[in-house]
Amino acid sequence: MTEHDGGPSARKLEEGRLLKELEAIHRTRHETLLHGSDDALVTHTKRMNELEHEYVRRHPQRAQTASRTRSGARARTEGEHKEQSM
C-alpha cells in the first residue's frame, strides 16, 4: 500500500514501530466502533487490516496457541459440554 492519511505504509515501518502501531490501533478499536463516524470506522478498519497483514507477512511462522485455533476451540467446547452433562 502507498502512504495515505492514516500514516506511512505498513511495509515501510521498522519492526518496533509496526508493533506499536498495532497495539495502538487495537487499543482504539472498540471506541471507534462504538462512537466513530462511518468514515472513521472505514479508515480504522483499512489501517488495521494493512498493519495486521504486514505483521502476518513478516511472521508467517508466528507462534500459535493451540486453544486459539479452530480445533483447539472445538476441543474446549466439547470438554465444556462433557463437564456440564456430568
Side-chain angles (χ1 to χ4, degrees):
M1 292 189 138
T2 59
E3 289 198 27
H4 47 78
D5 291 341
S9 170
R11 283 188 178 246
K12 293 183 178 180
L13 297 174
E14 61 90 11
E15 189 69 13
R17 175 87 188 275
L18 176 63
L19 292 173
K20 286 184 181 203
E21 293 262 346
L22 280 164
E23 289 173 11
I25 206 151
H26 286 125
R27 189 173 50 250
T28 59
R29 182 63 180 177
H30 190 70
E31 192 71 19
T32 304
L33 175 64
L34 294 179
H35 305 292
S37 67
D38 290 345
D39 287 344
L41 185 58
V42 167
T43 300
H44 199 275
T45 301
K46 286 179 182 178
R47 182 64 171 169
M48 186 175 65
N49 286 336
E50 178 189 9
L51 294 167
E52 288 178 349
H53 283 107
E54 179 59 17
Y55 182 84
V56 171
R57 186 188 71 77
R58 292 183 190 186
H59 303 280
Q61 301 301 320
R62 67 194 189 285
Q64 298 177 14
T65 305
S67 63
R68 302 292 297 190
T69 64
R70 185 173 292 163
S71 61
R74 284 186 183 134
R76 185 177 59 245
T77 302
E78 290 170 6
E80 290 170 358
H81 288 302
K82 288 178 185 177
E83 290 175 10
Q84 291 174 359
S85 63
M86 291 183 172

